[in-house]
Amino acid sequence: MSQRVFNFSAGPATLPEAVLRKAQAALLNWQDIGASVAEISHRSADFMTLAAQAEADLRALLHVPDDYAVLFMQGGATLQQALIALNLAHPGQRADYLITGHWGKTALKQATPYVDAHIVASSEAQGFCNVPARDDWRLSADAAYLHVTDNETIHGVALNLPLDVQVPVIADFSSSIASRPIRVRDYGLIYAGAQKNLGPSGITVVIVAHDLLRRSGQPRAPILDYRAHLERESMLNTPPTFNWYLLGLCLAWMREQGGVAAFAARNAARAQKLYALLDDSNGFYRNPVAVAHRSCMNVPFFLPTPELDAEFVAQAKTRGLIGLKGHKALGGIRASLYNALPDAAVDALIGFMHEFRKHHD
Ligand SMILES: *Cc1c(COP(=O)(O)O)cnc(C)c1O
């Protein structure tokens, strides 16, 4: 393969070509140090500057208020799902969970050993094709927090609702962070594994209100304690330095591209084009998600039979369109349209879909 293909992978996902080229050029000798960024101390002045710049870029991109901390951590989004319970709730305290897909369920599972996890509403009985109506949520008055998943990566469901609750909202933004402007202040804590919309795997972003960190939480080792990580500027132990570097390059690239507002406009237009094709296909391509909650980031769809799904994926690959196979829990096809995916990729996919339908409908 001499050319880069169009990569629709849900995560780890495509990275901006400009970022990869920059990293490639600096791989042996970063900033004239004579060594790779992966080979130097995280405590060196050069690396500390990189880390500070990444935080500044993230704060600028997302308009993070000063009374919110930013942490760069390991362990993925899944570790956060346990840490949230350990840090923000007393042992056995009630914590509310809204379940709109697979990742809401994992969040609940990770918290269950530590809190009285309560499902306020779930769309599982409807196959996660919708978000439970706000009036049907059974919120607990005494909950430590409400956990929601902003974008369900597997089912392609976006929350798209004003939350308007009394307790702090904890939101999994793994597959939607920086995809559209948000008001950070609407949330107590936002977390996101970087490997979907921000950069490489191995590094996770946590944005948390200082206020919340004053809670006593549960007995826990320092490595599981947000306050300890904050005190040591996310360098309580050796951080994933190369991942941090790549994340920093991606954040700088997003700012150069016009920031979150520019991506939001692009993402909406691209998703709109793809959904229009699905809806105008006479049922050949089918997306089951309620229109108001369709995701701009992850678009799952199904052909008339699993055999056609498989043929679609195989043929797409020969056209240089990869990463389209749906998650094993759901089957079908999934196109992930993250910020780093070029517009030309979506146009190529749409062209291929028209052609495939012509030959198989
Ligand atoms: C991918 C994903 C996760 C899991 O992330 P890990 O980094 O693998 O732990 C959790 N939530 C959402 C919404 C995701 O897309």
Side-chain angles (χ1 to χ4, degrees):
M1 186 73 48
S2 58
Q3 286 258 325
R4 274 176 66 75
V5 296
F6 291 132
N7 179 4
F8 296 87
S9 172
T14 194
L15 295 170
E17 187 169 324
V19 163
L20 294 173
R21 290 199 185 285
K22 217 172 212 174
Q24 181 186 43
L27 195 58
L28 297 178
N29 180 5
W30 179 60
Q31 298 192 163
D32 274 334
I33 287 173
S36 161
V37 64
E39 302 170 296
I40 62 167
S41 168
H42 52 292
R43 312 247 180 241
S44 63
D46 291 297
F47 193 84
M48 298 290 272
T49 303
L50 176 164
Q53 187 61 50
E55 177 172 341
D57 284 339
L58 186 76
R59 283 183 177 277
L61 270 175
L62 301 178
H63 302 289
V64 179
D66 286 344
D67 53 339
Y68 280 67
V70 173
L71 302 174
F72 296 92
M73 299 181 70
Q74 307 187 51
T78 310
L79 178 63
Q80 294 309 317
Q81 296 175 337
L83 295 190
I84 285 157
L86 281 171
N87 283 267
L88 306 183
H90 302 307
Q93 191 181 356
R94 178 57 77 97
D96 280 352
Y97 284 78
L98 177 69
I99 310 292
T100 53
H102 173 90
W103 295 113
K105 283 175 70 176
T106 70
L108 180 82
K109 192 155 101 187
Q110 294 299 333
T112 294
Y114 310 116
V115 293
D116 172 18
H118 167 71
I119 299 178
V120 301
S122 169
S123 50
E124 185 163 18
Q126 292 80 49
F128 294 129
C129 291
N130 213 331
V131 170
R134 180 65 177 75
D135 288 347
D136 297 338
W137 299 5
R138 290 168 297 119
L139 294 162
S140 318
D142 55 347
Y145 56 80
L146 168 67
H147 182 283
V148 300
T149 311
D150 183 69
N151 183 71
E152 282 286 354
T153 318
I154 295 174
H155 293 88
V157 176
L159 203 52
N160 277 353
L161 272 182
L163 289 160
D164 185 29
V165 293
Q166 299 305 311
V167 300
V169 175
I170 311 301
D172 182 351
F173 265 87
S174 291
S175 51
S176 53
I177 191 163
S179 68
R180 66 171 201 283
I182 57 164
R183 252 176 55 100
V184 170
R185 245 184 232 301
D186 291 344
Y187 304 89
L189 183 150
I190 287 169
Y191 66 98
Q195 72 271 26
K196 277 62 182 263
N197 208 31
L198 285 187
S201 62
I203 189 156
T204 302
V205 166
V206 180
I207 301 166
V208 54
H210 279 292
D211 242 12
L212 273 187
L213 296 184
R214 287 190 261 279
R215 290 189 178 183
S216 52
Q218 321 215 0
R220 57 199 184 276
I223 193 70
L224 304 177
D225 191 327
Y226 286 137
R227 293 174 301 196
H229 284 276
L230 177 61
E231 220 167 89
R232 302 290 294 276
E233 299 180 308
S234 304
M235 296 190 193
L236 181 61
N237 62 334
T238 316
T241 50
F242 194 71
N243 313 53
W244 204 333
Y245 161 72
L246 283 178
L247 168 61
L249 291 182
C250 290
L251 294 170
W253 176 83
M254 286 185 205
R255 290 191 71 184
E256 283 160 27
Q257 299 293 307
V260 170
F263 283 108
R266 260 184 59 197
N267 293 337
R270 302 188 326 184
Q272 177 58 36
K273 269 201 277 190
L274 188 50
Y275 283 117
L277 187 164
L278 302 181
D279 292 343
D280 295 342
S281 73
N282 243 328
F284 183 75
Y285 296 116
R286 195 171 43 81
N287 169 284
V289 179
V291 171
H293 299 288
R294 282 173 163 180
S295 168
C296 285
M297 293 277 97
N298 311 99
V299 182
F301 58 92
F302 300 86
L303 279 73
T305 64
E307 290 71 29
L308 274 176
D309 287 337
E311 195 179 331
F312 180 96
V313 171
Q315 271 197 32
K317 195 171 167 195
T318 68
R319 306 298 183 83
L321 308 170
I322 69 162
L324 285 163
K325 192 170 191 287
H327 189 275
K328 61 183 186 308
L330 205 61
I333 315 292
R334 172 174 49 170
S336 295
L337 315 178
Y338 298 128
N339 288 359
L341 186 79
D343 285 345
V346 181
D347 293 334
L349 175 63
I350 285 174
F352 170 69
M353 288 173 71
H354 280 302
E355 200 183 310
F356 190 88
R357 182 180 159 210
K358 208 157 55 189
H359 289 108
H360 295 87
D361 198 3

